Amino acid sequence: MESKIKIANNSYWVGYVDDRKVLFHRLILEKGTTYNSYLLDTEKPTIIDTVDIEFGRIFVENLSNMMDLSKLEYVIINHVEPDHAGGLPALMAKAKNAKIVTTALGAEELKKMFKLHNREYVIIHDGMTLDIGGKTLQFFETPFLHTEETMVTYCIEDQILYPCDQFSTHIANYELFNDLAKEDITEDFKVYYQLIMHPHRPYVQDMIKKIRKLDIKMIAPSHGYVLRENVEKYINAYDDMSRAKEGKKVAILFSTMTGNTTKVAKLMAEALENKNIVTRIINVDNADVDAVVEVIKESDGVFFGSSTRYADMVGNLETILKQLKDLDLSGKFAVAFGSYGWSGEAIEVINDYLKDTNLTVIDRSYIVKTTGMDDIQVPIRVKFKPEEESQTLGRTVQAIGDILVG
Ligand SMILES: Cc1cc2nc3c(=O)[nH]c(=O)nc-3n(C[C@H](O)[C@H](O)[C@H](O)COP(=O)(O)O)c2cc1C
Ligand SMILES: [Fe+2]
Ligand SMILES: [Fe+2]
């Protein structure tokens, strides 16, 4: 691919094509990928995103051949992952006068990652515009798509959306535009969405609401093809794929001594019902074991809870847990929870039981691996009555609910 391809008046692709099999997020990108960076060569020249850290030097060399980098005014960082922000240190070393435009969190992360403490930052807020001399950029925060600091950039005059990872495709290609692609890219586009964006689908819906208000003629993402044909089709695909599936069923099964765990169960049921999940709460101390097993078989997800009494579970819950090993529960999700006083061993013992079945156990490790969120604590542990924790509890259960409606 040439090192510079025109995408609009004074606007160019200046990225890098990696046509090897690329290792990424525990995947092998069989078709390789591209790292798309864009130069808006206006009165205040602006770069939107860079390239993977591995190609930072060659990226800056190419740019130096096109322009005097000391004249670069802005570098926009939509997303700080090193496959897009990785070229930033090399670029900033040459672009002595450039300001970095990003979200507040993005700026914090860039400072830590690349030691860019002494550079000037322009911190964006949702809907803010920036005049780059001949074109106007508008920024929208799109948190968790797919990491927390993420934003998108829209060029008002060109009607081009620069959404970084969003609307990307992992295909190394030298044609750049989707109407020039030699194969139908729809499947690759959907696979990318499923792997990278789908774990955050409520946020995809938020993003769609924001961009529906814009006139978008072209989407220039950071991997794969620039979409200039059937743009609406690709936006609709994100919209459709991120809508919650109806009719998922959850059972909340628990044992309690004095009713604190019952309160936790009720709060969780409320949060799940807010996600349109049909929820049943069963105190297993008063229930028939066979009937409970039937409920488990009919559910898409089951929460198992107990308070702690002398470092162990209470009531009948263990009888139920002992049955699980002999059942085929593959494809169903399970979560451990409980109220406790000071150590809450029962909750951890429940989690151990669950891990010994073919249920998919949602715990901290699962959440980090599937969503990248590191501040969600599962199993769910509530000290005594759920009071101060109820907000955290709601957020945690909603995150679990999002996994369930997947
Ligand atoms: C006899 C007894 C023993 C307890 N032992 C423990 C314990 O070993 N570890 C702990 O974290 N909490 C312990 N607790 C505290 C309870 O787990 C806590 O009060 C909890 O909120 C009770 O929830 P429940 O009403 O759902 O049973 C104990 C409470 C009682 C009454
Ligand atoms: Fe990313
Ligand atoms: Fe990426």
Side-chain angles (χ1 to χ4, degrees):
M1 201 184 245
E2 293 169 49
S3 52
K4 179 175 172 182
I5 298 173
K6 185 171 176 179
I7 67 162
N9 237 351
N10 297 330
S11 297
Y12 306 91
W13 175 94
V14 289
Y16 188 87
V17 180
D18 190 356
D19 56 11
R20 306 166 305 174
K21 288 186 180 181
V22 182
L23 269 174
F24 189 66
H25 281 228
R26 291 184 60 76
L27 304 168
I28 296 171
L29 310 180
E30 290 290 336
K31 298 184 179 176
T33 194
T34 70
Y35 305 104
N36 301 338
S37 170
Y38 301 95
L39 167 65
L40 278 49
D41 202 4
T42 54
E43 285 157 35
K44 298 176 180 179
T46 298
I47 289 280
I48 302 182
D49 295 318
T50 71
V51 298
D52 187 81
I53 195 156
E54 194 180 342
F55 308 110
R57 215 171 44 85
I58 184 164
F59 164 72
V60 175
E61 258 172 42
N62 286 340
L63 278 178
S64 307
N65 294 332
M66 292 171 210
M67 64 179 292
D68 174 0
L69 281 175
S70 68
K71 301 246 158 60
L72 195 65
E73 184 88 18
Y74 297 113
V75 180
I76 292 167
I77 299 292
N78 284 315
H79 171 44
V80 304
E81 265 197 320
D83 58 329
H84 307 293
L88 189 64
L91 179 59
M92 294 310 279
K94 289 270 170 66
K96 300 274 184 218
N97 303 307
K99 303 173 190 72
I100 301 169
V101 182
T102 188
T103 59
L105 184 58
E108 288 320 302
E109 292 180 354
L110 289 174
K111 285 176 193 171
K112 280 187 212 136
M113 258 165 75
F114 299 128
K115 304 202 167 29
L116 290 165
H117 292 87
N118 300 322
R119 300 304 297 247
E120 199 175 329
Y121 285 82
V122 177
I123 303 298
I124 71 100
H125 54 79
D126 207 46
M128 183 178 124
T129 56
L130 181 71
D131 179 356
I132 58 166
K135 292 182 199 274
T136 320
L137 300 180
Q138 190 169 23
F139 309 105
F140 297 94
E141 291 179 309
T142 56
F144 294 107
L145 297 181
H146 61 105
T147 50
E148 193 174 354
E149 82 297 342
T150 311
M151 65 181 216
V152 299
T153 300
Y154 175 67
C155 178
I156 294 176
E157 291 79 3
D158 295 338
Q159 301 182 333
I160 299 178
L161 182 71
Y162 297 92
C164 200
D165 272 346
Q166 299 162 58
F167 302 101
S168 279
T169 314
H170 281 311
I171 302 179
N173 77 87
Y174 294 90
E175 306 88 45
L176 191 60
F177 297 104
N178 67 324
D179 53 299
L180 305 179
K182 295 185 186 74
E183 53 179 342
D184 184 358
I185 67 163
T186 318
E187 206 41 46
D188 291 287
F189 178 83
K190 288 186 174 171
V191 166
Y192 178 98
Y193 165 84
Q194 287 296 338
L195 291 173
I196 312 287
M197 298 296 157
H198 194 66
H200 311 277
R201 68 193 152 283
Y203 298 98
V204 175
Q205 283 291 312
D206 294 344
M207 177 273 292
I208 294 283
K209 282 190 198 106
K210 290 183 191 186
I211 69 163
R212 287 277 192 212
K213 295 186 183 131
L214 309 172
D215 289 320
I216 299 172
K217 200 172 70 182
M218 190 187 295
I219 300 180
S222 61
H223 297 288
Y225 286 97
V226 168
L227 310 170
R228 67 177 180 188
E229 188 179 76
N230 290 330
V231 173
E232 198 61 20
K233 167 182 139 179
Y234 293 100
I235 297 174
N236 289 342
Y238 263 44
D239 193 353
D240 293 343
M241 291 186 290
S242 60
R243 281 179 193 275
K245 311 279 177 297
E246 299 289 326
K248 292 282 176 178
K249 287 190 205 159
V250 162
I252 302 179
L253 315 177
F254 66 96
S255 287
T256 178
M257 296 182 285
T258 58
N260 287 349
T261 304
T262 319
K263 291 196 176 84
V264 178
K266 284 187 176 156
L267 280 172
M268 295 196 310
E270 239 172 72
L272 291 167
E273 273 157 15
N274 282 339
K275 295 263 165 204
N276 292 326
I277 294 170
V278 180
T279 309
R280 280 181 73 171
I281 304 183
I282 302 174
N283 179 337
V284 296
D285 299 337
N286 318 319
D288 174 64
V289 175
D290 291 339
V292 172
V293 168
E294 280 315 303
V295 170
I296 295 172
K297 286 186 187 161
E298 286 164 12
S299 300
D300 302 294
V302 188
F303 286 59
F304 295 88
S306 168
S307 57
T308 300
R309 183 176 188 275
Y310 303 134
D312 203 356
M313 290 175 274
V314 304
N316 259 345
L317 191 77
E318 189 161 17
T319 319
I320 308 281
L321 291 172
K322 281 185 173 153
Q323 310 255 330
L324 301 180
K325 248 174 105 160
D326 304 323
L327 304 172
D328 178 14
L329 303 172
S330 48
K332 299 181 192 295
F333 291 101
V335 182
F337 75 99
S339 164
Y340 69 107
W342 44 91
S343 46
E345 289 88 342
I347 306 156
E348 308 307 315
V349 176
I350 296 171
N351 208 51
D352 290 344
Y353 261 106
L354 297 179
K355 283 201 265 185
D356 209 21
T357 68
N358 56 9
L359 286 157
T360 301
V361 181
I362 302 181
D363 56 12
R364 199 186 116 75
S365 160
Y366 183 87
I367 301 241
V368 172
K369 286 184 288 197
T370 54
T371 71
M373 295 181 183
D374 80 337
D375 59 345
I376 302 267
Q377 296 303 329
V378 196
I380 295 169
R381 301 165 58 86
V382 175
K383 270 198 178 178
F384 299 107
K385 286 195 193 73
E387 275 156 309
E388 314 83 73
E389 294 100 333
S390 60
Q391 226 177 345
T392 338
L393 181 64
R395 195 171 116 70
T396 304
V397 176
Q398 288 199 13
I400 296 170
D402 291 334
I403 292 170
L404 289 166
V405 290

